[in-house]
Amino acid sequence: MASDGEVKDIHRPDSTKTLLKNEALYEYILNMVVYPREHECLRELRLLTEKHAEGFMSSPPDEAQLLTMLLKLTGARNTIEVGVFTGCSVLATALAIPDDGKVVAIDVSREYFDIGLPVIQKAGVAHKVDFREGPAQPILDEMIADEGSEGKFDFAFVDADKGNYVKYHEQLRRLVRVGGVLAYDNTLWGGTVAMPDDTPITDDDREIRDVIREFNAKIAADQRVEVVQIPIADGITLCRRVV
């Protein structure tokens, strides 16, 4: 709640997407280890996205750095991304995977993706990106039905409609191989998941908080994956498929 009593959205243009309560500490992390190692095209796309009215929806650079590290540590070659926006995390993925790798990028509209596409092309990795426009669930179902696709992928990243996270998990668990990683963004939703139910937040934030709580509970109980919750950016849940 703002000092004037107004209840504001958890995520908005004037807020920083981090759970760190010390802005100076967050700036220290960015300036010490993130910005100096940020690829010039990632920086260009980040700054371009920040100018957009919905720019706060994008993955922050420290999260992109973490995803890059995970992709390289796991040797990922084939990946899926559900929820693309301008393509910041798609670009980070395409830069991290081998030249013959592929990221299947799914979004209901390519309007925002087209903003970032020229930068992805400039980075020389557009050939790794297979953009598919439309609702994710039927597209994922088509991929599952495609012979040879189950267990084909090494990594999946989801930053899309939170109400469908549980359904995406069931679909992606079939597409990602045993030992592969599924990553879900915004799983702490500004810390609201741990706040008392009567905490003053907007109706939209309350609705998202509730579905995120449900998702977190289901993932915590899912014995088919190993799970870790990371309090970076807005909360990232990592699952390693074991069955």
Side-chain angles (χ1 to χ4, degrees), residues 20 28-29 39 77 81 86 90 105 122 148 153 175 197 201:
L20 293 173
Y28 172 83
I29 293 171
H39 189 283
R77 183 178 302 273
E81 181 157 334
T86 61
V90 167
K122 179 180 177 180
F153 295 88
L175 290 166
D197 289 344
I201 55 177

Side-chain angles (χ1 to χ4, degrees), residues 18 23 30 50 59 77 79 82 100 133 136 155 163 166 182 185 197 220 228 236 239:
T18 178
E23 290 290 335
L30 292 176
E50 286 177 358
S59 299
R77 183 178 302 273
T79 75
V82 180
D100 61 348
E133 184 176 10
F155 193 95
V166 171
L182 301 92
D185 199 13
D197 289 344
V228 60
I236 302 173
C239 302

